[in-house]
Amino acid sequence: MRVLPMILVSLLWLLVCSAYRFLGVFPHQGKSKFIMLEGLMKGLADKGHQIDIISPYPQKKTYPNYTDIAKLSVPLSLVNNLTYEFIQTVSSNIAKSTATVFGNDVCEAHLGNSVIQNLVRDPPKNPPYDAMIMEILSSPCFAAIAQLLNIPLIGVSTTLMYPWLHELIAQPENLAIVPNIYKNVNFPMNLWQRTYNVFSFLYCKLYFNYLTISQDDIVRKYFGPNLPSIRNMNLALVLVNSHIALNGIQPMTPALVQVGGIHIREDDTPLSHELKKWMDDSKDGFVYFTFGSMVLMETFPRKTLDIFYASLGKIAPVRVLMKIPNPKKLPPGLPENIRTFPWLPQLKVLNHPNIRAFITHGGMMGTIEAIAYGVPMIGMPLYLDQYNNINANVAKNVAVKLDVYKITEKDMDTALNAILHDPRYIENVKNLSQRFHDQPLSPIDTANYWIDYVIKYGEDVLRSPAMDLAWWQIYLIDVAACLLLCAAAIITLAVFIIVHFVMKMTNRNHYRLLHSKKTN
């Protein structure tokens, strides 16, 4: 019954919303992250907006209203290119890698691109751009393009908000209930975890800002010496890949809008006959196992792969579908109930009626997709926000968590037995899926509404008053100092009065005593 009102609302917005021209700038290398960005931009194109895209991933087929105007090079390919050893190396200093490899280096590599330079010097006028949409992760330098074009800047966060992003829109930082997604922090947090959360959050933010100072110089090198600091970018709106049913309740400024699941779209592309037949023939169900679009599972230690083999072989006749880019590099002994493919259409796999569980590294896209289709999970986080993604789902009893770096066969057996045979996991994930889908507007309609709102009423329409305050004013440090000063003054005055009164009484008594002695 809820579908009809949503369709009517969508049609209404198609009638009343104007058609705009958007510039999308998405310089980062992660293909999995681009899936959300692509879903957003195609969704806007479907609504009649004209979309021009600068990214490393141009469309292979033409798409109505969607034009790739520049293909960016990818210095570090992340698609099926991260080995086990590389993950461990990067994870040891992920903040530095994010700020430099995916931040400063990307700015230096792409701001001089001829298309970007021509765009800034001679922007289109028929029609002009109405807004620029960019991913906000580690390259705030690209915000200078929107400033030079004098158009509103709309940010997209493909994960939850990283520590250094909050200040861009004065997003409240209530660290008692909002974990630092860069660290493995459980919720609810005890005293020690809250203390760790506060200091790790501040460290990540300050360290990132310190490492990316050079982006100011890069911007001035390519766009002119008089540009202000990238720290002063004016973000009119941020679309974040989250939802209250998945990520819990937290304070939010109106400039932060949740559009989790915006990349989940209908896809008419037919499945390969081989894959479709295998899934359809899995009458006892199947488990889908992947570490995403970047990680090479075949590079994991032989000991870990042997544990996977042993445990997954025990669940037969339940089958296992594994995404393995280079199956020939797997060690021998693959159980008969396991089938590997170098690439899999994940949405179609998770939406298949015979699927029973999803073994995942805990990427934001995959966990949202699993919940959208009601599939319980076994999470093996590897780095970044994956720990918090899995922790949040474990707390909801829709997932079991394993430490892939310390995993034992017993751990894997226990997790598989729980996720396949304990009915509470499937019941909880179906309920959570229903809550996720119960929205007044679809994610793309929500994004379209607020983008239209910002363009119609001005880029400052959602701007928080906290943007005009210093940090010590936001956290009421000045108020606390004033109260402490008043309290200190009152206490000092009270002590002075008491001391004065006591001394006066003491002197009076002393005088009386002396007078009494003289009289006697």
Side-chain angles (χ1 to χ4, degrees):
M1 294 298 291
R2 294 189 182 94
V3 175
L4 183 58
M6 290 181 67
I7 294 175
L8 292 175
V9 170
S10 299
L11 290 175
L12 177 63
W13 271 107
L14 280 173
L15 293 174
V16 302
C17 287
S18 302
Y20 299 115
R21 185 177 186 182
F22 297 124
L23 172 65
V25 180
F26 311 120
H28 299 115
Q29 294 96 332
K31 178 65 174 176
S32 59
K33 293 181 179 297
F34 186 72
I35 290 173
M36 179 202 170
L37 305 168
E38 182 183 42
L40 166 64
M41 303 310 282
K42 283 186 174 180
L44 294 174
D46 292 341
K47 295 185 179 300
H49 303 302
Q50 185 176 341
I51 310 298
D52 291 346
I53 301 293
I54 297 174
S55 82
Y57 304 105
Q59 297 296 303
K60 296 179 179 178
K61 297 180 180 179
T62 57
Y63 196 89
N65 299 329
Y66 185 112
T67 305
D68 290 292
I69 62 173
K71 178 184 178 181
L72 302 180
S73 60
V74 182
L76 174 62
S77 176
L78 299 180
V79 180
N80 292 332
N81 200 37
L82 299 191
T83 64
Y84 181 86
E85 292 77 13
F86 182 83
I87 291 170
Q88 288 189 308
T89 301
V90 172
S91 297
S92 63
N93 200 349
I94 195 71
K96 184 176 181 180
S97 300
T98 302
T100 55
V101 177
F102 306 123
N104 303 345
D105 294 352
V106 171
C107 293
E108 184 64 58
H110 299 317
L111 285 187
N113 182 283
S114 60
V115 173
I116 294 177
Q117 289 291 310
N118 292 335
L119 197 66
V120 170
R121 292 187 174 90
D122 185 23
K125 299 179 178 62
N126 188 27
Y129 288 120
D130 294 287
M132 173 175 149
I133 302 175
M134 65 173 274
E135 181 186 4
I136 49 168
L137 171 62
S138 51
S139 305
C141 60
F142 289 91
I145 300 173
Q147 187 172 25
L148 291 166
L149 295 178
N150 195 27
I151 55 177
L153 176 62
I154 296 166
V156 184
S157 178
T158 57
T159 64
L160 301 181
M161 295 285 279
Y162 283 100
W164 52 86
L165 299 178
H166 290 66
E167 61 190 22
L168 300 179
I169 53 172
Q171 166 66 6
E173 299 172 353
N174 193 328
L175 300 179
I177 60 174
V178 180
N180 176 6
I181 70 167
Y182 234 74
K183 300 295 181 180
N184 184 10
V185 181
N186 293 314
F187 185 81
M189 295 177 278
N190 56 33
L191 175 60
W192 158 245
Q193 290 170 328
R194 290 198 305 275
T195 303
Y196 175 74
N197 192 47
V198 169
F199 284 100
S200 68
F201 188 97
L202 293 175
Y203 169 77
C204 286
K205 179 165 66 172
L206 294 174
Y207 189 44
F208 176 86
N209 288 340
Y210 166 74
L211 290 173
T212 54
I213 289 174
S214 63
Q215 291 190 29
D216 279 338
D217 297 328
I218 298 172
V219 166
R220 290 162 186 157
K221 171 183 173 182
Y222 289 105
F223 293 142
N226 299 321
L227 285 175
S229 171
I230 56 173
R231 307 294 173 205
N232 297 326
M233 75 166 80
N234 185 22
L235 270 172
L237 173 69
V238 173
L239 305 174
V240 63
N241 193 22
S242 66
H243 184 273
I244 56 172
L246 312 183
N247 307 108
I249 307 298
Q250 59 176 281
M252 286 188 176
T253 175
L256 187 67
V257 174
Q258 299 187 100
V259 292
I262 199 169
H263 68 289
I264 301 176
R265 299 165 45 85
E266 293 294 330
D267 183 4
D268 297 330
T269 306
L271 283 169
S272 70
H273 174 74
E274 184 182 12
L275 176 60
K276 184 178 185 305
K277 184 177 187 306
W278 186 91
M279 292 193 296
D280 290 344
D281 290 345
S282 300
K283 301 304 181 184
D284 294 291
F286 68 90
V287 173
Y288 174 43
F289 190 177
T290 177
F291 281 146
S293 64
M294 298 187 293
V295 178
L296 297 169
M297 194 188 306
E298 56 270 33
T299 65
F300 276 52
R302 176 64 186 267
K303 179 182 178 182
T304 305
L305 293 175
D306 285 342
I307 290 171
F308 292 162
Y309 283 14
S311 291
L312 293 172
K314 295 175 188 176
I315 65 173
V318 176
R319 289 173 155 187
V320 180
L321 182 63
M322 295 178 72
K323 182 252 179 187
I324 304 290
N326 304 293
K328 293 181 180 179
K329 293 185 178 180
L330 283 174
L334 193 71
E336 293 183 0
N337 65 324
I338 297 180
R339 181 65 186 274
T340 66
F341 284 85
W343 177 87
L344 289 162
Q346 185 157 290
L347 289 176
K348 291 182 180 294
V349 171
L350 290 172
N351 197 27
H352 195 278
N354 287 341
I355 191 167
R356 294 183 59 182
F358 179 32
I359 304 178
T360 172
H361 62 311
M364 181 63 78
M365 306 302 171
T367 54
I368 290 178
E369 291 162 7
I371 290 169
Y373 293 123
V375 182
M377 292 168 276
I378 295 176
M380 302 183 194
L382 302 173
Y383 50 81
L384 283 178
D385 61 320
Q386 296 165 9
Y387 291 95
N388 279 325
N389 295 341
I390 294 301
N391 288 340
N393 287 304
V394 169
K396 295 179 178 67
N397 285 319
V398 300
V400 176
K401 181 180 177 182
L402 292 174
D403 186 342
V404 73
Y405 301 112
K406 300 178 182 178
I407 193 170
T408 65
E409 186 176 335
K410 182 179 179 181
D411 294 336
M412 187 78 172
D413 290 345
T414 303
L416 285 166
N417 182 65
I419 213 73
L420 292 173
H421 302 296
D422 189 337
R424 64 176 176 160
Y425 288 102
I426 189 65
E427 291 171 4
N428 290 334
V429 79
K430 294 296 184 185
N431 179 266
L432 186 59
S433 179
Q434 184 178 358
R435 288 171 52 198
F436 172 74
H437 287 290
D438 194 354
Q439 304 183 43
L441 289 174
S442 68
I444 186 59
D445 285 331
T446 299
N448 190 59
Y449 171 86
W450 287 108
I451 292 172
D452 180 76
Y453 190 87
V454 164
I455 294 174
K456 285 197 300 186
Y457 300 115
E459 60 183 347
D460 288 336
V461 69
L462 300 176
R463 191 174 189 272
S464 170
M467 291 291 291
D468 299 318
L469 301 177
W471 68 268
W472 43 270
Q473 292 173 310
I474 294 174
Y475 292 105
L476 300 177
I477 303 298
D478 52 343
V479 174
C482 181
L483 292 175
L484 287 173
L485 184 62
C486 291
I490 292 171
I491 292 171
T492 301
L493 180 61
V495 170
F496 176 79
I497 292 173
I498 291 171
V499 169
H500 178 74
F501 178 78
V502 170
M503 289 181 65
K504 187 175 181 179
M505 291 298 296
T506 301
N507 291 337
R508 181 179 298 175
N509 291 336
H510 182 67
Y511 174 78
R512 287 177 179 175
L513 181 61
L514 290 175
H515 181 73
S516 176
K517 288 182 177 180
K518 288 180 180 180
T519 304
N520 294 332

